[in-house]
């Protein structure tokens, strides 16, 4: 079985695809409290080291999308950097992102949809001296994501 081509995984924000995506990275992060032994209370010798056990404290994720820049009008069929900047300036930074396979564009038995409550964390614009202008947007987790594996019909 061949693996899924990366170009077939795309990102939506509030039901619109981000225009001309180059790549996307979704990272899940966990923090832990390390539970260790207490110090001896009397003159008992400290024994050999023990294995660390960890208790889950928090779970989070980040989603980063790199894309090409365009000089489109606001409100098109897909989200351009102008749309994302307008949302950020207006303070409308909360939304829902989807990291999903592109339906009908692969031969796999299932589609993947990871739905992510997010906030817009940062927007970057890159204008190199040579080559094309590009941008990046980073979303931070804002709650518990869900994952759906949906059979292709």
């Amino acid at each position: 079985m061949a693996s899924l081509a990366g170009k077939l995984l795309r990102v939506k924000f509030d039901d619109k695809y981000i225009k001309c995506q180059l790549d996307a990275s979704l990272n899940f992060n966990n923090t832990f409290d390390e539970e260790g032994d207490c110090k001896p209370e009397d003159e008992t010798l400290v024994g050999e080291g023990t294995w660390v056990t960890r208790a889950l404290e928090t779970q989070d994720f980040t989603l980063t999308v790199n894309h090409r820049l365009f000089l489109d009008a606001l409100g098109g069929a897909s989200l351009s950097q102008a749309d994302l900047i307008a949302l950020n300036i207006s303070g409308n930074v909360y939304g829902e992102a989807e990291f999903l396979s592109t339906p009908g564009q692969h031969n796999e038995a299932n589609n993947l949809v990871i739905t992510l409550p997010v906030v817009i964390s940062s927007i970057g614009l890159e204008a190199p001296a040579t080559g094309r202008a590009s941008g990046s947007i980073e979303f931070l987790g804002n709650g518990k994501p869900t994952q759906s594996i949906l059979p292709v019909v």
Side-chain angles (χ1 to χ4, degrees):
M1 174 187 295
S3 64
L4 184 64
K7 67 181 180 180
L8 298 180
L9 290 169
R10 304 192 314 177
V11 176
K12 281 182 166 180
F13 181 68
D14 285 346
D15 292 325
K16 286 188 176 184
Y17 285 105
I18 296 174
K19 186 171 184 168
C20 200
Q21 297 173 39
L22 300 173
D23 58 64
S25 299
L26 174 59
N27 296 295
F28 291 93
N29 309 297
N30 299 314
T31 59
F32 299 90
D33 177 39
E34 292 185 7
E35 298 175 350
D37 293 335
C38 296
K39 294 180 181 180
E41 294 181 11
D42 53 23
E43 295 179 17
T44 306
L45 294 174
V46 176
E48 294 182 24
T50 58
W51 289 97
V52 172
T53 57
R54 291 180 172 86
L56 182 64
E57 282 191 336
T58 63
Q59 294 181 286
D60 197 8
F61 59 87
T62 58
L63 174 62
T64 304
V65 181
N66 295 308
H67 55 88
R68 295 247 191 262
L69 294 184
F70 294 90
L71 296 175
D72 294 350
L74 296 176
S78 57
L79 284 173
S80 69
Q81 83 286 344
D83 293 308
L84 294 165
I85 291 169
L87 288 170
N88 195 68
I89 289 171
S90 70
N92 189 8
V93 297
Y94 300 93
E96 184 176 89
E98 288 183 335
F99 187 77
L100 68 157
S101 55
T102 307
Q105 297 292 312
H106 59 81
N107 295 325
E108 299 291 324
N110 298 298
N111 279 309
L112 167 70
V113 180
I114 302 173
T115 305
L116 309 152
V118 295
V119 295
I120 297 172
S121 171
S122 65
I123 298 171
L125 305 176
E126 292 82 34
T130 60
R132 298 188 179 268
S134 61
S136 63
I137 180 164
E138 182 180 61
F139 300 98
L140 295 179
N142 193 37
K144 185 176 182 177
T146 59
Q147 174 180 262
S148 301
I149 306 294
L150 306 170
V152 173
V153 250

